Amino acid sequence: MATLYRLLTEDDSAAFCHKVSAALAAGWVLHGDPCLSFDERRGVMRCGQAVTKEVAADYSPEMKLGAQ
């Protein structure tokens, strides 16, 4: 059994909300608060949200986390 961790990031847009919603629908769980940061180079706000998921497998660096 392993606990997996992902940090989802995206511009502050509907795309970020869809990315987080898709992870939740796939069984990932929110971990902590979301974060916002201004990308000065691009002039946009960026969002981040950590998610975790328990899987019935041993962790391996070769795992495709998004496919779990």
Side-chain angles (χ1 to χ4, degrees), residues 7-68:
L7 179 62
L8 307 175
T9 62
E10 183 67 56
D11 289 350
D12 185 12
S13 66
F16 175 73
C17 295
H18 287 291
K19 186 181 281 191
V20 174
S21 294
L24 295 174
W28 292 81
V29 177
L30 298 176
H31 181 80
D33 294 328
C35 60
L36 290 171
S37 180
F38 185 67
D39 181 340
E40 290 187 36
R41 182 178 57 84
R42 294 180 48 232
V44 297
M45 290 298 291
R46 297 279 295 169
C47 299
Q49 175 63 59
V51 293
T52 60
K53 185 176 187 180
E54 295 287 330
V55 295
D58 291 330
Y59 171 74
S60 168
E62 290 79 35
M63 286 179 139
K64 301 286 186 202
L65 297 177
Q68 301 301 312

